[in-house]
Amino acid sequence: MLNRVILIGRLTKDPELRYTPSGVAVTQFTLAVDRPFTGQGGEREADFIPVVTWRQLAETCANYLRKGRLTAVEGRIQVRNYENNEGKRVYVTEVIADNVRFLESNRETSGGGGTREESSFSGGSSSSSSNSSGGNRGNNNYSRNNNQDPFSDEGKPIDISDDDLPF
């Protein structure tokens, strides 16, 4: 059996962060996902899919996601039910996300330019990558975890390969 879903869409509003009574973070947001066809009026239709994230992923989504931001979500579909105040059984279908990718940088959604960034967050671990070429590819002698001064060569030439240049 397999229950896996991947969605790409835009947030309809800012995520809502809450905490369970035991202190576990949970975030809910809705993703508007375009349908692959147009309606009778020639307009594009969309599905509005509720997404839930838990723990560190929930806090990360609440801190960095905003209304309108293009986002990819990977997770599973869950159907749950409860009895409302009127005694009626209510069924809720939602995606429980275990991986969220931010497909735009904050600058792009606020009208600015800049490079396109993609950040991926899943189950408490995170990584960020830039789609522009360049970056540290292992040919340099300086590491972020190393407290050594990268400019301590006192004017001597620095060996940089073409792969390390951003242009």
Side-chain angles (χ1 to χ4, degrees):
M1 292 177 267
L2 179 66
N3 180 357
R4 205 76 188 138
V5 62
I6 299 172
L7 302 168
I8 297 177
R10 295 193 180 273
L11 270 71
T12 61
K13 62 181 182 175
D14 290 353
E16 298 174 18
L17 175 65
R18 295 192 195 121
Y19 291 90
T20 65
S22 61
V24 178
V26 59
T27 300
Q28 295 178 314
F29 56 90
T30 302
L31 211 58
V33 180
D34 286 338
R35 291 183 178 172
F37 53 86
T38 57
Q40 290 181 352
E43 291 189 21
R44 196 140 196 120
E45 295 182 13
D47 292 302
F48 299 90
I49 301 169
V51 178
V52 178
T53 59
W54 291 89
R55 296 174 185 77
Q56 181 64 42
L57 180 58
E59 292 177 338
T60 302
C61 288
N63 288 332
Y64 296 105
L65 285 179
R66 294 291 172 255
K67 177 181 177 178
R69 187 150 183 204
L70 187 64
T71 305
V73 170
E74 184 179 357
R76 63 184 172 83
I77 293 178
Q78 174 178 286
V79 179
R80 60 183 173 88
N81 63 73
Y82 63 93
E83 197 169 297
N84 68 9
N85 296 340
E86 299 166 358
K88 288 191 152 196
R89 179 77 41 206
V90 178
Y91 291 88
V92 178
T93 302
E94 56 201 1
V95 173
I96 307 301
D98 54 38
N99 188 0
V100 176
R101 288 185 180 259
F102 307 159
L103 300 179
E104 293 177 319
S105 68
N106 285 331
R107 290 180 301 246
E108 287 183 16
T109 57
S110 63
T115 61
R116 179 176 171 263
E117 293 182 7
E118 179 179 303
S119 299
S120 175
F121 297 92
S122 58
S125 65
S126 65
S127 65
S128 178
S129 63
S130 174
N131 285 351
S132 62
S133 59
N136 296 332
R137 297 215 175 119
N139 289 340
N140 60 5
N141 294 325
Y142 181 71
S143 169
R144 281 188 211 184
N145 297 333
N146 188 352
N147 290 332
Q148 177 184 359
D149 183 1
F151 303 106
S152 64
D153 291 333
E154 301 183 89
K156 295 178 186 171
I158 300 172
D159 185 25
I160 299 176
S161 73
D162 289 342
D163 289 340
D164 291 329
L165 298 174
F167 46 87

